[in-house]
């Protein structure tokens, strides 16, 4: 059992609130808090586990990690793939909430819908319809 699950060592969300009681998942590898040592919360319900941090550190250090020990996606059982659906959906929801927040902040700074649309690669009208 992970530290996050056994002693509530998961970092609280960026809001500083308590750690939710539902099972949390790494937004990158989709392992649950029960299958990793640490799960770190970021903004907008995005989480990263210690194993993914280690992998990132390898790349940052200029080393190519040995991925031969990791199962390929084709080897994952159907049940495991089904378990991944909800964490992926929650990640998408979190990013959507973050996007909405940024757009609202930009609008409060009187940034035009045309500028927001251009930054997103959509029309002014599409941006307005999507975020109002």
């Amino acid at each position: 059992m992970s530290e996050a699950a056994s002693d509530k060592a998961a970092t609280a969300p960026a809001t500083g609130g308590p750690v939710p009681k539902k099972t949390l998942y790494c937004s990158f590898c989709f392992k649950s808090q029960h299958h990793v040592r640490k799960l770190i919360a970021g903004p907008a319900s995005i989480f990263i586990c210690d194993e993914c941090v280690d992998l990132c550190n390898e790349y940052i250090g200029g080393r190519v990690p040995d991925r031969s020990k990791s199962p390929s996606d084709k080897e994952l059982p159907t049940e495991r793939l089904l378990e991944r659906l909800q964490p992926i959906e929650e990640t998408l929801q979190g990013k959507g909430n973050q996007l909405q927040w940024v757009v609202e902040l930009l609008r409060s700074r009187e940034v035009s819908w045309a500028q927001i649309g251009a930054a997103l690669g959509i029309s002014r009208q599409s941006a307005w319809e999507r975020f109002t």
Side-chain angles (χ1 to χ4, degrees):
M1 183 173 283
S2 72
E3 288 178 27
S6 64
D7 66 11
K8 306 293 184 222
T11 305
T15 60
V19 175
K21 298 209 185 253
K22 68 178 186 168
T23 300
L24 304 175
Y25 295 85
C26 176
S27 301
F28 300 89
C29 69
F30 307 112
K31 290 181 182 174
S32 82
Q33 68 191 54
H34 306 293
H35 294 100
V36 297
R37 289 187 316 263
K38 295 265 186 189
L39 191 63
I40 303 162
S45 301
I46 303 298
F47 299 89
I48 188 167
C49 72
D50 58 293
E51 295 173 17
C52 287
V53 169
D54 290 344
L55 186 64
C56 290
N57 285 333
E58 288 289 315
Y59 281 111
I60 290 169
R63 298 174 297 279
V64 178
D66 179 12
R67 303 286 300 188
S68 64
K69 298 174 188 166
S70 302
S72 73
D73 290 340
K74 292 178 182 177
E75 296 172 8
L76 289 171
T78 299
E79 294 78 23
R80 182 70 177 123
L81 293 172
L82 288 169
E83 289 172 4
R84 286 182 171 191
L85 291 178
Q86 186 62 39
I88 292 169
E89 176 63 22
E90 290 171 4
T91 298
L92 290 173
Q93 283 290 336
K95 293 308 282 181
N97 293 341
Q98 186 179 35
L99 180 61
Q100 182 71 42
W101 175 82
V102 170
V103 168
E104 289 172 5
L105 182 59
L106 288 168
R107 291 295 297 152
S108 74
R109 295 178 181 179
E110 300 183 4
V111 174
S112 73
W113 285 114
Q115 288 175 289
I116 293 168
L120 291 170
I122 59 177
S123 71
R124 172 198 60 79
Q125 181 69 26
S126 294
W128 180 82
E129 289 174 358
R130 181 173 172 186
F131 296 104
T132 58

